[in-house]
Amino acid sequence: MTYETLLIEIDGPVAVITLNRPDALNALNDKLVTELTDALNGFEKDASIGCVVVTGAGRAFAAGADIKEMRVQSYMDAYGNDFITRNWERASTFRKPIIAAVNGFALGGGCELAMMCDFILASDAAKFGQPEINLGVMPGAGGTQRLTRFVGKSKAMEMCLTGRMMDAAEAERSGLVSRVVPAADLLNEAKAVAKKIASQSRPIAMMTKESVNAAYETMLRQGMMFERRLFHSMFATNDQKEGMNAFVDKRPPKFSNS
Ligand code: CAA
């Protein structure tokens, strides 16, 4: 796969997608989000890929929607072309594990894209924010909803209303990111975590992420029911037998992804 706005690296079962418009701080234009959707469609189908990492080239993960492209849109352009909904949200429906490795600015749509992934690993140089209010709009790719679920109402409200940025330490303290690592180690650490995830049973990893997402998208009772049904179904897999037998036999499991 070759793209104009993305770099793709395949490292065994891990695919690394690098958003690659560094001169524009990887601002998300229509081309980039369409290419990202296409790449994710491909990796979802590709049985050799077990986990995806998304990161950014240069000093940003992504500094938001491309303001230069967006500023001329009319209401009818946005509504009529189903702006955002049409091609921005594929990461949130991707069925395999997907990690955001945030190396610098993750602002506006960039922060929203990172939050669509399963979890965020941040470098100590990362900066998060929803500065849309400075442009006379508000977050439009899930920021008011996802950021609030991650960090709570008070901090989300302050960030969306003032547009201020959060550094990596604050993002870790408030639950937005899973861990902070030194900038020089970020990509290697993200790949190592992705390889670990890809070494697990693929269907079990997919069901596990579905179940964690249910905690975040449903009420507790429905989420518990969803978890219990998936948990029961895992006893129909070969990988459940293999995983548990391997533990009893004191050997590493050899999952067959079945
Ligand atoms: N869109 C288009 N171009 C952008 C951009 C964006 N979101 N962010 C940065 N760029 C461009 C700049 O215009 C500049 O290009 P030129 O060299 O051609 O002038 C280049 O990237 C480098 O940026 P700066 O010179 O501004 O770099 P800086 O270090 O001085 O500042 C920054 C960095 C604070 C991130 C600043 O670039 C900035 O504030 N960017 C905009 C952030 C923003 O408002 N994001 C929200 C967008 S709206 C949105 O995302 C809506 C939604 O919810 C979907």
Side-chain angles (χ1 to χ4, degrees):
M1 285 184 264
T2 49
Y3 294 109
E4 217 174 275
T5 63
L6 306 177
L7 298 172
I8 304 290
E9 181 200 343
I10 308 293
D11 186 354
V14 173
V16 179
I17 301 175
T18 302
L19 311 177
N20 190 35
R21 300 184 68 215
D23 292 346
L25 300 183
N26 305 323
L28 306 168
N29 61 8
D30 190 62
K31 178 92 187 166
L32 187 150
V33 293
T34 301
E35 290 190 343
L36 182 59
T37 296
D38 185 74
L40 291 174
N41 286 341
F43 293 137
E44 192 163 278
K45 279 196 219 117
D46 183 344
S48 70
I49 298 300
C51 190
V52 170
V53 174
V54 183
T55 192
R59 59 195 181 97
F61 176 76
D66 189 317
I67 301 164
K68 292 166 189 165
E69 185 178 80
M70 191 172 44
R71 69 186 169 136
V72 296
Q73 279 200 47
S74 67
Y75 167 75
M76 275 317 300
D77 291 331
Y79 180 75
N81 295 326
D82 214 7
F83 183 39
I84 309 290
T85 320
R86 188 170 60 80
N87 55 358
W88 279 57
E89 296 176 300
R90 186 64 177 92
S92 69
T93 62
F94 189 64
R95 296 188 70 208
K96 297 178 180 177
I98 177 167
I99 304 169
V102 172
N103 45 302
F105 294 113
L107 303 176
C111 186
E112 292 167 309
L113 172 62
M115 292 190 291
M116 286 177 210
C117 296
D118 292 325
F119 60 94
I120 302 173
L121 278 180
S123 91
D124 49 13
K127 291 227 182 316
F128 298 88
Q130 297 290 165
E132 290 88 342
I133 197 152
N134 297 326
L135 302 168
V137 290
M138 69 176 197
T144 63
Q145 305 304 298
R146 289 199 173 94
L147 187 65
T148 308
R149 282 168 160 82
F150 276 104
V151 305
K153 174 180 166 183
S154 205
K155 200 177 280 285
M157 193 69 94
E158 188 210 345
M159 294 198 52
C160 291
L161 288 176
T162 65
R164 85 166 171 89
M165 292 185 214
M166 205 194 257
D167 67 15
E170 185 181 0
E172 186 179 28
R173 252 194 336 270
S174 49
L176 179 59
V177 310
S178 68
R179 271 184 308 126
V180 179
V181 298
D185 301 340
L186 178 69
L187 199 54
N188 282 340
E189 184 60 23
K191 282 193 208 170
V193 175
K195 274 194 183 146
K196 172 75 185 153
I197 292 170
S199 74
Q200 310 289 8
S201 163
R202 302 272 167 82
I204 299 296
M206 287 167 69
M207 288 188 215
T208 303
K209 78 166 254 183
E210 265 192 277
S211 197
V212 174
N213 278 332
Y216 165 87
E217 290 165 0
T218 63
M219 306 299 279
L220 181 62
R221 186 174 291 276
Q222 296 162 291
M224 293 294 289
M225 183 64 81
F226 185 73
E227 179 200 89
R228 207 54 41 82
R229 291 288 171 260
L230 277 180
F231 179 68
H232 290 163
S233 74
M234 289 172 181
F235 289 81
T237 66
N238 294 318
D239 285 343
Q240 173 268 330
K241 298 287 173 296
E242 170 59 14
M244 294 190 184
N245 286 336
F247 176 82
V248 173
D249 298 346
K250 300 189 188 301
R251 60 173 174 82
K254 278 186 77 174
F255 293 123
S256 57
N257 302 322
S258 63

